[in-house]
């Protein structure tokens, strides 16, 4: 619901937020059931910075991203191999975002 003219989000008097949350710009629509996150971007981020879990953070999988970060730190960098392999698998097989929707090509 969009607030009446002259008011901004959260200023409806009741203190509640009455503006829609947006994850995709209104001018760019993806097919129903497909994520707004790209598997190519997620895969490249995971290959380059997978030891820090960046590709997983990008798609919204924060739990796995944090685990990858901790494993890399605990193993003095050897755990980054997991991120490299994970990035390759994302590029080859695709994946899903935090809402369970398949990543777009």
């Amino acid at each position: 619901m969009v607030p009446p003219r002259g008011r901004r989000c959260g200023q409806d008097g009741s203190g509640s937020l009455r503006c829609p949350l947006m994850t995709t710009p209104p001018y760019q629509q993806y097919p129903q059931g497909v994520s707004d996150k790209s598997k190519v971007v997620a895969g490249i981020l995971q290959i380059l910075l997978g030891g820090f879990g960046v590709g997983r953070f990008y798609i919204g999988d924060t739990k796995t991203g944090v685990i990858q970060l901790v494993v890399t730190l605990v193993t003095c960098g050897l755990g980054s191999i997991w991120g490299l392999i994970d990035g390759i698998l994302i590029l080859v097989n695709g994946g899903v975002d935090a809402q369970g929707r398949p990543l777009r090509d």
Side-chain angles (χ1 to χ4, degrees):
M1 180 175 178
V2 178
R5 191 176 185 126
R7 291 189 178 171
R8 294 171 42 185
C9 291
Q11 295 181 340
D12 62 352
S14 68
S16 65
L17 183 64
R18 304 201 100 192
C19 294
L21 297 175
M22 293 180 54
T23 58
T24 304
Y27 56 84
Q28 187 176 12
Q29 297 296 322
Y30 299 106
Q32 185 70 19
V34 176
S35 177
D36 57 339
K37 305 294 183 184
S38 168
K39 79 173 185 179
V40 173
V41 173
I44 299 284
L45 284 173
Q46 195 64 12
I47 288 172
L48 297 177
L49 301 168
F52 303 111
V54 174
R56 289 294 177 168
F57 287 121
Y58 170 73
I59 61 175
D61 188 7
T62 55
K63 180 180 175 183
T64 306
V66 169
I67 293 171
Q68 286 179 337
L69 177 62
V70 169
V71 167
T72 299
L73 293 176
V74 169
T75 62
C76 299
L78 288 175
S80 62
I81 295 171
W82 176 18
L84 175 70
I85 294 170
D86 193 27
I88 293 169
L89 289 174
I90 289 173
L91 285 174
V92 172
N93 298 332
V96 294
D97 65 2
Q99 288 80 32
R101 300 174 298 180
L103 299 173
R104 67 181 168 88
D105 290 328

